[in-house]
Amino acid sequence: MDHPEDQEAAGRLAAVTGRIRAAAEAAGRDASSVRLVAVSKLQPEGRVGGALEAGHRLFGENRVQEAEARWPAFRERFPDIALHLIGGLQTNKVRAAVRLFDVIETVDRPRLAAALAREFERTGRALPCFVQVNTGDEPQKGGVAPAALDGFLDRCRAEYGLNVVGLMCIPPAEDLPGPHFAFLREAARRNGLAGLSMGMSADFETAIRFGATHVRVGSAVFGARG
């Protein structure tokens, strides 16, 4: 690691993974049951490259266009990268998303589920999916309404044939996150889903206590954006 950004990335990654390990152990869980999705949106190339040089391979991006600009070149150097789409997906971006990403975390409406199913069929690339739940019923935020979740999951599986592996949420910023994480955990249990993508830089340790299998951490890994 010859560059300062590489060294900074390695230090931040070590600190975050240490906190994940401690939170898992405090919850009586194996630390390997929690995956760190390093959120690279709007981060400079040097910081992302530093995280890759430090050995991290699981990343999250919010926008298809940003991923198109960044990740093909990184994949040439690091072919074992796993990339999660963690931002809202427009149906006209589905083809590019299926080409670029390895997991879609933000399935939240029938039209998108149908478009993904068609693209999976066309390409033979049936990606694992999470269903995003709008646990706070916030009108400005994506996600399925809690009351509609079970029915939507049934449609995703039976009608669209999606490989739904878990649930994802982003609690309202002004709320305590614990009740939202508890709701997501119970909804996943009720529907036979193992994956729980929840928790970000400010609350990932709480999310781990409530069973998170994936935590989406940006600023704690990379520093402030910009």
Side-chain angles (χ1 to χ4, degrees), residues 184-199:
L184 206 70
R185 178 180 62 188
E186 172 57 24
R189 186 205 61 76
R190 186 174 65 243
N191 287 283
L193 294 169
L196 286 170
S197 177
M198 57 191 197

Side-chain angles (χ1 to χ4, degrees), residues 43-66:
Q43 291 289 349
E45 298 292 295
R47 292 182 185 175
V48 179
L52 284 160
E53 293 288 352
H56 197 71
R57 294 292 183 270
L58 177 55
F59 293 84
E61 285 281 354
N62 275 52
R63 296 179 183 275
V64 173
Q65 283 176 293
E66 188 174 353

